[in-house]
Amino acid sequence: MAPTKSESDPTASDTSIPLFKSIGLSQAKAAEAAKNAKSANVLRNLIVSYDLAEARLDEKQATVITALAGQLAKTESVEPDEQAFAIRAILQGKLKSVDQVNAAVKYLEKFKAPINELEFDTECGVGFSITSEELHDAVTSYIRENSVAGWHNLGSVISGVKASPALRWVNPLEVKNAVEKAFTETFGTKEAAKPKAKDPKKEKAAQPTSTASEAAAGSSSSNRKPVFEEGFLGALHKPGENPQIRPELREQHLRATDGQVWTRFPPEPNGYLHIGHSKAIFVNFGYAAHHGGKCYLRFDDTNPEKEEARYFQSIIEVIRWLGFEPWKITYSSDYFDQLYDLAIELIKRDKAYVCHCTQEQIKADRGEKISAPKACVHRSRPIQESLDEFQKMADGYYRPKEANLRMKMDLTDGNPQMWDLTAYRVLDASHHRTLDKWKIYPTYDYTHCLVDSFENISHSLCTTEFIASRQSYEWLCDALDVYKPRQSEFGRLSLQGTINSKRKILQLVDEGYVSGWDDPRLYTLIALRRRGVPPGAILSFVSTLGVSTAASNIQIARFEQTVRQYLEGSAPRLFMVMRPLKVIIENVPDDYLVMVDKPFHPKNPQLGSSQIPFTRTIYIDADDFRLEDSKDYFRLAPGKSVGLFQAPYPITCTSYKTDSASGEVTEVFCRLEDSGTPPKPKAYIQWVAEHASSGSPVCIDETRIFHPLFKSDNPLAATPDFKADINPNSMEVIKGAMVEVSFWPLAKRCVADALEEARARSAKIKAIPGAGSHDAHTPEITPEQLVGKECVRFQGLRVAYLAVDSDSRLGALDEPSDVTPGIRQGDYLVLNRIASLKEDAGKGI
């Protein structure tokens, strides 16, 4: 390719300077811009292609355009359509700084036209604003989440807060001042602060397990305020304080709610809920409960093309599993008639019109290219004509995309959410509740605020990606002169090293990377449930993060630590050997039997106890024996003694047997030190005994150990796509593990408790007026359907926290309590590792 003039001719920079000055650059800046041949060539092309010399830019905008040219010169990934998008953003005053331009180019390298404007604006800090109170909340949340110890961490906290994606666009000086203020409130003045001496190591007391309702109420063992009374949630308006265009609307609302807090959780039933939704559930149900109010579960079922019955049912079950019961279960489709009538009213008020433009033309008119948004050619059509056309839409005269009802909003506003959003579209699909009654369906932008109004929601709580939608939300309520709820936005929750996109998870399922939406390696709530994570642990995790406007992007390790802490005091402990090694105690008779009394938890007597057999033949973990002894090794070796947890005496290895082919140890022979003065063991190991009449040991067909599904913290950054980051060794299956026989009575008790809880919940549901009056997606609850095998959880001593997987077939759980349980032919026992015992996994798995 022939070189451009600027690349081949050293005098080209001189001819460029006047052109660069024509867009508003000073002589000095124009000369500086002309020095680099490559970026100067890009800048010259931008000026000519987009007629920037006639755009009347100020010097600041010209500087930002120059910075854009410099970034574009470094990449070949930004196509002309994306370049045009960036230029338009600068001309509209959305991109105002070099930092924003750098972020914009990085975004446009990844995402091609048509660009998601809301996502682009968020990534580039467009319209970013934060109050001093919100910044203070974000800083204090950072300090709490990272367990900051004192003033010596000041520098690292300032750097960490600046690096937070949600606070990237805050003025650095404001960050510094906010951190220093938070440190003073937390640790006292800097002069008075002294490094704390390390406390002597103390044995941990059993952690009390908070219930789901306690976590929802924000209770804590400390003197901190509940999460619903501090930060973002503590600053929310009181019912009735949200302004209305007419005072009688406020009065009607307060009469309907009796001045209570009314919230709603409004999922779209087109997929399974994930860990991020647990925060929204916690906030909406928990905030209402804390204030003695009510929370709806409202299905946003306005898109019948993507909705399935399995999603409706799963959402209901997950919410109840987390410990919440909706005040009412409603559907946006409950209000289709009212929404349709209001659409007609909107047209009559000249606030909506029927548009026949193609999707491409609508995008172009809304400013998808460089130009500002412009009016649709149908925007000025007579009101009666739009009424007639809307009726034709409803009658099925038009096919999908041939006609849309658009709201006549404000094209001069800088917010794209005010650029004539679509209110109704034609869909050729049968609806799960209204069947074939409707040929047109309302959009989210039209439906959400109006149904909030119909249901007298006092606090419409959603995540920050809907900030821009607040203006259109309020516009529509005021345009129709109806009660206007207040929308308030909090930061969303996500975990590093995983994905929550429904489309991407579906790819993983369809292409066989995971077994289904409930694969325990995923972070959908049904996957976490199947893995065995208790619902209370999830609520505890969310509540400790706090709620602010800052997004929470948390490491998976922190989530797992919360799960461990929750299970520490509540999970019964059972002896378990992952890789059994047979041990024969030679100096006791064949029928030797001692029944050992063993508590399920040494620090939680409420969990009860059991009896397990101790016999001539036991099994230990293969990792607890080795042939070569050493001074720093305290478990079993030839000639060495070791203690057995809860057993009456230690044992000493006298000999062993190996496989002639592999050389591996297959049996160990020991002496029970039950005479004279037994040696004092330096270590104790777990064991299980062979005792056929009691069903000991319990043999495990599969123990599934889950590792991260992705290799990095950000799978979406992988090339060519997220699947390139998949960890090929994300699941390990160990066969033949053994558990003490107390597993069976424990499992039966867990199932009985879950059934009792389910029956109590079912009775409570039946007592609610209108319960069970919904369609097939909210059937009367059968308690047995609510009992998943994941309710059987325990700690394998020195191994991990485990739960019974739904792949198991456990006929023994159906037997009467006085029958000695045992694995029957056809039964299959599968365990999932919920979490390791500590972050570095320690010994074992």
Side-chain angles (χ1 to χ4, degrees), residues 38-110:
K38 193 171 183 180
S39 59
N41 188 46
V42 174
L43 178 58
R44 183 167 50 254
N45 289 338
L46 292 178
I47 294 172
V48 173
S49 299
Y50 302 112
D51 201 17
L52 297 179
E54 304 299 324
R56 297 182 180 179
L57 307 179
D58 57 34
E59 185 174 1
K60 189 172 182 180
Q61 286 179 306
T63 301
V64 175
I65 293 283
T66 305
L68 174 64
Q71 290 299 312
L72 293 176
K74 298 175 184 178
T75 179
E76 297 180 357
S77 301
V78 181
E79 302 295 334
D81 282 352
E82 288 84 55
Q83 291 183 19
F85 186 90
I87 292 288
R88 179 178 68 98
I90 295 171
L91 297 182
Q92 291 178 341
K94 296 172 72 173
L95 301 180
K96 300 178 182 179
S97 70
V98 173
D99 282 345
Q100 287 183 303
V101 164
N102 294 344
V105 172
K106 287 182 180 178
Y107 182 90
L108 296 173
E109 285 178 320
K110 296 180 184 177

Side-chain angles (χ1 to χ4, degrees), residues 7 105 128 178 188 210 239 299 373 389 409 412 430 489 546 570 608 733 774:
E7 291 172 324
V105 172
F128 176 84
S210 59
F299 288 109
E389 289 296 304
M409 303 170 83
T412 66
S430 179
E489 307 86 10
S570 62
V733 178
H774 303 286

Side-chain angles (χ1 to χ4, degrees), residues 515-535:
S515 61
W517 288 82
D518 65 345
D519 188 300
R521 290 167 291 181
L522 296 174
Y523 282 81
T524 58
L525 290 176
I526 59 171
L528 292 174
R529 182 179 187 179
R530 178 178 176 182
R531 191 168 111 190
V533 175

Side-chain angles (χ1 to χ4, degrees), residues 361-640:
Q361 186 60 50
I362 291 174
K363 289 178 181 178
D365 286 350
R366 278 176 48 83
E368 288 292 319
K369 302 297 182 183
I370 183 175
S371 60
K374 64 179 182 180
C376 164
V377 295
H378 307 97
R379 198 174 199 260
S380 59
R381 73 191 318 166
I383 290 174
Q384 188 57 51
E385 189 175 313
S386 278
L387 288 170
D388 294 340
E389 289 296 304
F390 189 53
Q391 184 63 53
K392 290 167 72 175
M393 286 174 60
D395 291 342
Y397 181 83
Y398 292 111
R399 301 294 299 158
K401 298 184 180 179
E402 289 182 349
N404 298 284
L405 181 68
R406 296 176 64 185
M407 294 178 274
K408 190 182 292 188
M409 303 170 83
D410 185 357
L411 298 179
T412 66
D413 195 286
N415 184 354
Q417 284 296 109
M418 293 297 291
W419 296 349
D420 288 13
L421 300 175
T422 298
Y424 268 89
R425 75 279 203 211
V426 178
L427 292 179
D428 187 13
S430 179
H431 192 274
H432 70 107
R433 303 186 78 236
T434 60
L435 303 178
D436 297 320
K437 176 180 177 180
W438 296 96
K439 304 298 182 184
I440 56 173
Y441 292 93
T443 62
Y444 173 89
D445 289 312
Y446 176 78
T447 304
H448 186 64
C449 59
L450 293 180
V451 177
D452 275 357
S453 178
F454 299 156
E455 295 184 340
N456 273 292
I457 301 303
S458 64
H459 295 76
S460 179
L461 306 176
C462 59
T463 47
T464 51
E465 61 262 39
F466 293 99
I467 286 177
S469 299
R470 189 199 307 166
Q471 188 175 355
S472 58
Y473 180 110
E474 295 179 348
W475 176 90
L476 183 55
C477 289
D478 287 344
L480 288 167
D481 197 20
V482 298
Y483 162 71
K484 179 173 58 185
R486 163 70 183 185
Q487 176 179 300
S488 301
E489 307 86 10
F490 56 89
R492 70 187 305 171
L493 167 64
S494 59
L495 293 184
Q496 297 176 8
T498 187
I499 58 171
N500 290 325
S501 163
K502 296 168 186 174
R503 180 176 58 83
K504 290 181 172 61
I505 293 177
L506 184 60
Q507 282 183 260
L508 295 177
V509 174
D510 289 345
E511 297 176 28
Y513 290 102
V514 295
S515 61
W517 288 82
D518 65 345
D519 188 300
R521 290 167 291 181
L522 296 174
Y523 282 81
T524 58
L525 290 176
I526 59 171
L528 292 174
R529 182 179 187 179
R530 178 178 176 182
R531 191 168 111 190
V533 175
I538 295 174
L539 295 180
S540 178
F541 171 67
V542 173
S543 67
T544 56
L545 294 178
V547 181
S548 70
T549 56
S552 299
N553 189 20
I554 309 298
Q555 291 181 327
I556 287 177
R558 184 171 176 197
F559 172 72
E560 292 184 342
Q561 178 61 14
T562 301
V563 175
R564 275 191 289 272
Q565 289 173 343
Y566 187 92
L567 290 169
E568 167 65 23
S570 62
R573 299 181 182 182
L574 304 181
F575 292 165
M576 180 178 188
V577 291
M578 291 298 297
R579 298 168 180 85
L581 175 60
K582 191 173 186 178
V583 174
I584 297 175
I585 304 174
E586 296 181 291
N587 62 329
V588 298
D590 290 344
D591 61 352
Y592 179 82
L593 173 64
V594 174
M595 296 305 293
V596 176
D597 291 318
K598 175 183 168 293
F600 278 127
H601 196 298
K603 300 174 185 176
N604 189 352
Q606 294 180 347
L607 292 178
S609 62
S610 65
Q611 282 194 328
I612 59 173
F614 178 64
T615 62
R616 173 183 168 87
T617 301
I618 64 172
Y619 295 87
I620 66 172
D621 200 295
D623 288 344
D624 285 334
F625 176 81
R626 72 185 190 189
L627 295 176
E628 295 183 9
D629 195 9
S630 63
K631 291 183 178 179
D632 59 350
Y633 181 74
F634 302 110
R635 282 168 275 162
L636 196 62
K640 194 165 189 172

